Amino acid sequence: PFNPVTHWMDGLRHDGIARMDTWLTDFLGAKPGDYTRLAGRMWLIGMVARAYRPGCQMRVMPILEGPQFKGKSEALRALAEPWFGDTPLNLSNKDTYQQIQGCLIYEIGELDAMNKAEVTAVKAFVSSRSDRFRAPYARAPEDQPRQGIFCGTTNHTEYLKDMTGNTRFWPIKVEETD
């Protein structure tokens, strides 16, 4: 009945400065262009949509790629704190579905979960609209509509493994920024 994320969002007031199309460039040093502008915009819209309409379709996951200490994780944390998660995920473990509950943004750091899982499992996990699991002390499994979104971070440039296409993953190269 009470959603702390939407309650917080409802209380925000825009200061009139447009940031949605340039936040990846301004805060992470991504190269300006249509791809960067649209990827950043669509991901933020998806984040807000998932907060207000849990379970809505969100099939994509940006992947921030660049050297260590460029602010990738800190930028994600700043967007979602205190509803941010980054504990490594094990896609074959049932506790993973409990782990992502309550997170607006979940960082898949160094793409550990993607490296250890089959590509089809990763694609299905990222694009799932709800998670079915039995919570501790519950009698039966229940469907929990997804309220959060994912973002990958990596220091590597070669990580995409799907021979049929990697449309769910949006690579964004992070550079030096002030």
Side-chain angles (χ1 to χ4, degrees):
F2 174 75
N3 184 330
V5 175
T6 57
H7 178 75
W8 171 73
M9 287 181 177
D10 288 342
L12 296 174
R13 297 294 167 250
H14 193 266
D15 61 5
I17 299 172
R19 294 180 185 90
M20 201 153 90
D21 288 337
T22 60
W23 74 275
L24 286 170
T25 300
D26 295 344
F27 300 109
L28 289 168
K31 184 178 178 182
D34 288 342
Y35 172 76
T36 304
R37 180 179 57 79
L38 289 171
R41 170 181 278 274
M42 298 309 292
W43 189 69
L44 290 177
I45 289 171
M47 177 181 68
V48 173
R50 274 273 173 100
Y52 283 95
R53 291 183 305 137
C56 71
Q57 189 66 57
M58 183 64 179
R59 297 173 45 96
V60 298
M61 180 177 84
I63 299 176
L64 305 177
E65 53 178 71
Q68 289 182 346
F69 308 113
K70 296 298 180 190
K72 301 181 293 283
S73 297
E74 285 308 309
L76 298 174
R77 185 179 304 280
L79 280 171
E81 195 76 70
W83 306 287
F84 172 78
D86 63 354
T87 306
L89 296 175
N90 178 349
L91 298 185
S92 62
N93 187 326
K94 65 179 179 63
D95 293 338
T96 293
Y97 299 103
Q98 295 174 38
Q99 195 171 328
I100 64 175
Q101 299 302 307
C103 290
L104 180 61
I105 296 175
Y106 207 98
E107 176 187 1
I108 300 179
E110 297 308 322
L111 302 176
D112 282 340
M114 286 180 59
N115 292 330
K116 295 176 185 169
E118 292 297 322
V119 174
T120 54
V122 173
K123 287 169 35 177
F125 180 78
V126 166
S127 60
S128 182
R129 295 172 72 140
S130 67
D131 300 309
R132 184 169 183 80
F133 64 92
R134 186 180 65 78
Y137 307 107
R139 291 181 179 214
E142 294 181 10
D143 289 322
Q144 299 292 326
R146 284 246 176 111
Q147 295 181 339
I149 60 174
F150 300 97
C151 186
T153 57
T154 185
N155 302 331
H156 305 287
T157 56
E158 293 186 25
Y159 50 85
L160 298 174
K161 302 188 297 185
D162 188 0
M163 300 308 285
T164 65
N166 290 291
T167 59
R168 284 179 179 79
F169 309 112
W170 293 351
I172 299 164
K173 194 171 294 262
V174 173
E175 303 290 337
E176 190 69 45
T177 183
D178 293 337

